[in-house]
Amino acid sequence: NAGVTQTPKFQVLKTGQSMTLQCAQDMNHEYMSWYRQDPGMGLRLIHYSVGAGITDQGEVPNGYNVSRSTTEDFPLRLLSAAPSQTSVYFCASSYGVTNEQFFGPGTRLTVL
Amino acid sequence: AQRVTQPEKLLSVFKGAPVELKCNYSYSGSPELFWYVQYSRQRLQLLLRHISRESIKGFTADLNKGETSFHLKKPFAQEEDSAMYYCALLYNFNKFYFGSGTKLNVKP
């Protein structure tokens, strides 16, 4: 049981490049979410999903896309990276929205 | 708009002293609140939820709707309690808003 996995752990991009942050869970959780964490701030919700095929925007969705084709996977796409997207990104999953969220180890992204 | 405020960035206490980490929220709906903790080199993890009314590792938190607060308390702090603590609000059924966190440092 691997829990929530994220790849890559670190990534450096140039402005304008695109990339996908991967997130997977093997706990059959319905609710999955993506957060970004910037210094001095809490986690901010980017996008979330309540099940396969269902996604919705969080607090800071601009510049990011998500899809949920399977229960297990919830990738986050940066369409055209900007320096303002330099952050640590966390993926989380839970059985239901009010249940405990299990967090991944994070991806540290730097956009030059 | 919904908001969670944790007024202290850093809280230092001595081992055995009581500790209270403050959390205030703003939300027009019925709040569901959580405390998450991140120990050094570990992942963020749930500490407790107000709907469970539980005590975990000696910590308790009571939802005070009148004062819109959900402070985290422990009567006797331990060195292993040193960590980053985040208060989180579930709003609009499916979205979470996290506070900026309080770093608790328990000194020997």
Side-chain angles (χ1 to χ4, degrees):
Chain A
N1 193 332
V4 179
T5 59
Q6 289 183 240
T7 55
K9 284 190 168 56
F10 303 93
Q11 183 70 49
V12 178
L13 292 177
K14 294 182 180 177
T15 297
Q17 286 185 313
S18 62
M19 79 159 294
T20 299
L21 279 63
Q22 301 292 345
C23 174
Q25 52 90 10
D26 59 359
M27 297 174 282
N28 203 31
H29 285 168
E30 292 294 329
Y31 185 86
M32 295 187 75
S33 52
W34 275 103
Y35 297 88
R36 60 177 289 173
Q37 185 176 37
D38 301 298
M41 302 183 74
L43 282 75
R44 290 186 291 169
L45 182 65
I46 304 172
H47 285 284
Y48 68 94
S49 169
V50 297
I54 307 169
T55 64
D56 205 348
Q57 296 181 351
E59 187 187 354
V60 288
N62 292 343
Y64 307 95
N65 270 0
V66 292
S67 59
R68 184 97 179 268
S69 56
T70 67
T71 299
E72 294 78 19
D73 300 297
F74 191 44
L76 178 73
R77 296 183 191 85
L78 280 70
L79 309 172
S80 178
S84 61
Q85 294 179 304
T86 294
S87 189
V88 181
Y89 291 84
F90 291 97
C91 178
S93 76
S94 61
Y95 184 71
V97 68
T98 59
N99 296 103
E100 174 179 4
Q101 288 194 81
F102 291 85
F103 282 83
T107 294
R108 187 174 293 274
L109 175 68
T110 301
V111 183
L112 304 175
Chain B
Q2 63 290 332
R3 187 162 296 277
V4 172
T5 303
Q6 293 181 250
E8 303 132 334
K9 285 194 188 315
L10 174 64
L11 186 63
S12 287
V13 300
F14 284 102
K15 177 182 170 181
V19 62
E20 180 179 69
L21 291 88
K22 291 185 168 53
C23 171
N24 289 92
Y25 68 91
S26 172
Y27 180 48
S28 57
S30 183
E32 293 196 40
L33 287 141
F34 305 76
W35 276 99
Y36 278 82
V37 60
Q38 188 168 27
Y39 301 102
S40 179
R41 289 184 290 278
Q42 292 188 28
R43 300 185 188 192
L44 198 62
Q45 58 188 277
L46 178 68
L47 182 61
L48 54 80
R49 304 174 283 176
H50 96 268
I51 55 175
S52 301
R53 302 188 65 81
E54 57 205 344
S55 173
I56 303 293
K57 298 184 179 183
F59 283 97
T60 59
D62 291 316
L63 178 60
N64 186 323
K65 291 187 178 181
E67 296 183 358
T68 60
S69 68
F70 187 58
H71 303 329
L72 184 68
K73 300 177 184 179
K74 185 170 183 177
F76 307 104
Q78 303 299 315
E79 289 181 70
E80 56 265 30
D81 296 328
S82 294
M84 197 75 187
Y85 291 80
Y86 295 93
C87 182
L89 167 72
L90 175 64
Y91 70 98
N92 291 2
F93 303 110
N94 289 318
K95 300 181 182 182
F96 284 91
Y97 191 104
F98 279 76
S100 56
T102 297
K103 184 174 182 178
L104 175 64
N105 180 31
V106 181
K107 297 176 284 189

